[in-house]
Amino acid sequence: MKNTGQLSRRQMLAAAGFLGLATITGCGGGDDGGDGKDLSKKRDGAMKNHRPGQQFKASRPLSFSVLHNNNPVYPMKNGWLFWKEVTKRTGITLKPLDVPLADYEKKRSVLIGSGDAPLIIPKTYHPGEVAFVSSGAILPVSEYVDLMPNFRDKVRKWRLEPELDSIRQSDGKYYLLPGLHERPKAGYSLALRTDILDRHGLALPTTLDEVYDVLKALKAEYPDKYPWTDRWSTNTPFPCGALFSYLGQAHGVKAGWTYDNISFDTKARKFVFTATQDAYRQMVEYLRKLVSEKLLDPESFTQQDDQAVQKLLAEKSYVISANPQELVQNYRYNLAKQVKGAKIEMIPIPLGPAGPVLLSGIRLENGIMISSKALKSDTFVAMMQFVDWLWYSDEGQKFCKWGVEGVTYTESGATYTLEPGISLMGSDPDAPKDLQKDYGFFNGVFTYGGSWELVSSSFSPDEKKFQDVMSQRRELPVDPAHPLQSFEQEQATLWDTPLKDTAIQNTLQFVLGKRPMSDWNAHVAELKSKNMQQLVDLHNKAYERFRKENG
């Protein structure tokens, strides 16, 4: 990113994050050139007084382009009620640019780089936005959150300032509007065939040690089978991304889909390299033991999801990673058709050395980038008000999730009931209509975050049981802010990918037994040869600088 401001300017902006969003003077204080400094001429179609909880309605019909991640589970339809109702309620017509899920990140980068990206760019996971900061292609959205009263209200009420500070860049600004959660929500764990456990007098495990004991017992009963086969290994940089994520959490480290080269050591008060931590090594040793004793199928790390699921359905395995949707829609539904009396349940993440914890940062979800082109439009203020209502107001979030009351659902207190004949994620397999496929609601592009009441309103009995346990666990502290300056970010980017690739490759070699654990020091040496220490030093330097500048 361009370092055009003076140091005092950067200090002032960064400090604003620690004083809370209410202190940010968002009316065009960014480095956007003359067009960005006065929003008085960019209020065409905007509401004069946009307040939290108020229905947004443009003062004249407007349209905004939006990048749409087309999920094959519910392919986009132009005739969705969602599109029509957005226009009816807000006066805004959304013009989606449809991109297939498998190509979303690549296509998004091409569109932004070519200047052809839509104005609103959702479904971006931090730090995915960082690559577009230095070019000026996306807005420093923290400069404009004064136009977003619902967003600011939730940050204040839910005390999310530390999380937002963690995504700030060296200029003190953040460039992503993340989804905001009132409470942390875990998503993945392992599921086990409970009818098989019952047959052999085995209880559902609650710790990693008990998971091992159950797998050993199943192996003794079915010596020709791998008790556990797993999935989520393709189209992801970290094979078995879900498995590593929740096992990492049990050890208190970032792994799998949550992996990041850099982690903060709260005892040492400094950043360290994740894949060299003692806790990371313990996680690797645990998985290595499962593979070496033939309790976990080694094909888990290369096979397609369908192959893993077919092994479960064919009773070649009895344990698999799950999320609540897959548990109900895929595993349970298909097992019921193929295996008489089959039962399967997803358990809370088993406790490991770290105890009952949740990884930090999970109250922020994927979010929205805003193209810098938007600031040149005289409808910029109206667009930001619209984004604020649709993605961050209670009413907008409820609409995106459940649809239109009396048409797709009814509401009684905190209970939401789908209208007869409408299904959601397999809730009624015989229903002729589907809330996602046929109406466009519960779409991951628009539905995320919110109050716990709303988030939990769609929980199946299984997920409610799972989340009730997980919500009692202690969230680990958020990593402190350590934004890199533009030249540091460019250097870090050059080091980051080779280090991550090496860390993942070595992790898999250890787990699969292709390298002995006695090679661990050699693994660390390989990382050092790829500038590991320089990357760590860079982040610690940024941490110390930010801490001194902001107290």
Side-chain angles (χ1 to χ4, degrees):
M1 108 195 41
K2 294 180 181 178
N3 226 356
T4 55
Q6 297 298 315
L7 183 61
S8 58
R9 166 72 171 158
R10 194 165 63 242
Q11 287 175 316
M12 180 180 68
L13 287 167
F18 289 97
L19 294 174
L21 286 176
T23 65
I24 295 177
T25 57
C27 288
D31 303 323
D32 313 292
D35 287 345
K37 297 186 183 302
D38 182 6
L39 299 182
S40 63
K41 296 180 181 179
K42 304 179 186 298
R43 301 189 63 89
D44 184 23
M47 292 181 67
K48 288 185 178 180
N49 296 300
H50 178 48
R51 299 184 301 275
Q54 181 184 27
Q55 172 66 50
F56 168 80
K57 183 77 172 183
S59 61
R60 73 172 183 86
L62 300 172
S63 63
F64 299 122
S65 56
V66 61
L67 196 63
H68 185 265
N69 186 345
N70 194 5
N71 193 319
V73 176
Y74 42 93
M76 195 193 86
K77 297 178 181 177
N78 291 325
W80 273 346
L81 177 61
F82 173 82
W83 307 120
K84 298 173 184 176
E85 192 68 20
V86 164
T87 303
K88 178 181 176 182
R89 295 190 185 199
T90 67
I92 303 297
T93 298
L94 282 173
K95 294 185 174 180
L97 176 59
D98 203 34
V99 176
L101 174 64
D103 299 325
Y104 188 73
E105 292 199 11
K106 183 184 295 183
K107 181 69 172 177
R108 182 186 63 200
S109 296
V110 171
L111 287 167
I112 294 174
S114 65
D116 296 325
L119 300 181
I120 304 170
I121 311 169
K123 211 65 182 175
T124 298
Y125 291 83
H126 176 74
E129 80 281 10
V130 174
F132 311 112
V133 169
S134 61
S135 67
I138 59 172
L139 284 183
V141 285
S142 57
E143 289 286 271
Y144 304 99
V145 293
D146 68 315
L147 303 173
M148 304 180 66
N150 291 291
F151 178 89
R152 288 190 298 145
D153 186 55
K154 284 180 167 52
V155 169
R156 179 186 58 80
K157 287 194 303 187
W158 299 342
R159 299 179 180 179
L160 285 163
E161 289 89 352
E163 279 86 347
L164 288 179
D165 286 335
S166 73
I167 66 171
R168 291 181 187 274
Q169 302 306 305
S170 61
D171 56 5
K173 307 168 190 176
Y174 52 88
Y175 290 72
L176 181 73
L177 291 167
L180 307 176
H181 280 268
E182 180 181 13
R183 287 163 57 178
K185 175 178 174 285
Y188 293 82
S189 186
L190 68 161
L192 300 94
R193 280 278 303 274
T194 51
D195 58 311
I196 298 296
L197 298 190
D198 291 344
R199 182 185 303 171
H200 302 294
L202 300 171
L204 282 169
T206 60
T207 68
L208 291 182
D209 287 342
E210 290 176 2
V211 169
Y212 172 78
D213 291 341
V214 166
L215 294 173
K216 286 285 285 186
L218 290 174
K219 185 67 176 178
E221 296 289 345
Y222 307 99
D224 296 331
K225 299 179 182 181
Y226 289 103
W228 186 349
T229 198
D230 224 323
R231 56 178 297 191
W232 287 308
S233 289
T234 55
N235 298 319
T236 175
F238 214 120
C240 283
L243 167 60
F244 274 104
S245 292
Y246 61 76
L247 279 187
Q249 179 165 290
H251 287 82
V253 294
K254 302 170 186 174
W257 289 331
T258 60
Y259 180 80
D260 190 332
N261 279 332
I262 301 297
S263 297
F264 191 70
D265 186 326
T266 54
K267 292 182 180 178
R269 302 302 301 170
K270 65 179 182 180
F271 284 91
V272 297
F273 197 81
T274 302
T276 61
Q277 290 177 284
D278 289 341
Y280 191 93
R281 174 175 176 160
Q282 291 174 16
M283 177 199 68
V284 168
E285 289 175 331
Y286 180 83
L287 274 175
R288 179 189 178 91
K289 181 169 69 170
L290 298 188
V291 172
S292 68
E293 297 185 22
K294 298 186 177 180
L295 307 179
L296 175 62
D297 182 0
E299 291 183 359
S300 298
F301 302 92
T302 53
Q303 66 190 355
Q304 299 285 329
D305 286 0
D306 286 348
Q307 292 175 286
V309 174
Q310 284 305 314
K311 289 178 181 179
L312 178 76
L313 300 180
E315 297 198 276
K316 294 180 179 179
S317 64
Y318 303 108
V319 181
I320 192 170
S321 287
N323 62 36
Q325 182 174 339
E326 282 293 291
L327 176 74
V328 175
Q329 274 190 279
N330 194 347
Y331 309 158
R332 187 172 290 161
Y333 177 72
N334 288 306
L335 274 170
K337 292 195 299 184
Q338 292 186 218
V339 183
K340 186 177 180 179
K343 296 179 181 179
I344 188 166
E345 186 170 336
M346 176 175 155
I347 62 172
I349 294 175
L351 297 177
V357 299
L358 295 168
L359 288 181
S360 64
I362 60 175
R363 289 204 295 154
L364 298 188
E365 203 170 338
N366 69 83
I368 303 160
M369 295 185 291
I370 301 295
S371 170
S372 294
K373 294 184 297 184
L375 191 58
K376 299 175 182 177
S377 170
D378 58 5
T379 60
F380 175 71
V381 172
M383 190 194 77
M384 296 303 288
Q385 290 177 344
F386 168 73
V387 168
D388 180 58
W389 181 82
L390 188 66
W391 274 277
Y392 297 102
S393 74
D394 292 342
E395 195 63 29
Q397 290 176 334
K398 182 167 67 173
F399 162 72
C400 289
K401 185 162 187 165
W402 288 106
V404 181
E405 188 169 11
V407 178
T408 58
Y409 76 98
T410 56
E411 182 180 355
S412 177
T415 301
Y416 296 77
T417 305
L418 289 170
E419 288 287 350
I422 300 177
S423 179
L424 173 62
M425 295 183 289
S427 61
D428 181 359
D430 299 320
K433 295 288 186 180
D434 183 276
L435 188 67
Q436 295 172 305
K437 298 174 184 176
D438 298 300
Y439 295 96
F441 298 106
F442 221 100
N443 181 339
V445 175
F446 304 100
T447 306
Y448 50 72
S451 67
W452 186 250
E453 180 180 298
L454 181 66
V455 168
S456 62
S457 66
S458 58
F459 286 174
S460 64
D462 292 281
E463 183 161 13
K464 186 177 186 308
K465 184 178 179 182
F466 173 77
Q467 297 294 352
D468 282 348
V469 174
M470 296 304 299
S471 66
Q472 300 303 311
R473 298 187 179 180
R474 176 178 62 89
E475 188 178 3
L476 294 173
V478 176
D479 285 356
H482 55 290
L484 301 178
Q485 295 177 353
S486 57
F487 70 93
E488 293 172 326
Q489 185 62 61
E490 290 169 8
Q491 183 61 72
T493 300
L494 293 175
W495 292 335
D496 208 54
T497 300
L499 281 166
K500 184 176 289 186
D501 290 345
T502 300
I504 293 171
Q505 291 166 10
N506 287 353
T507 296
L508 293 177
Q509 287 182 329
F510 284 125
V511 166
L512 292 170
K514 294 180 179 179
R515 290 185 71 170
M517 290 307 298
S518 57
D519 265 8
W520 188 260
N521 289 339
H523 151 71
V524 174
E526 288 169 31
L527 292 169
K528 285 182 177 178
S529 72
K530 297 182 184 295
N531 302 295
M532 178 190 83
Q533 195 57 51
Q534 289 92 322
L535 181 68
V536 170
D537 291 344
L538 198 66
H539 282 276
N540 278 315
K541 178 183 175 183
Y543 164 60
E544 290 297 334
R545 178 178 62 234
F546 195 82
R547 189 168 63 90
K548 288 176 182 177
E549 290 178 358
N550 298 285

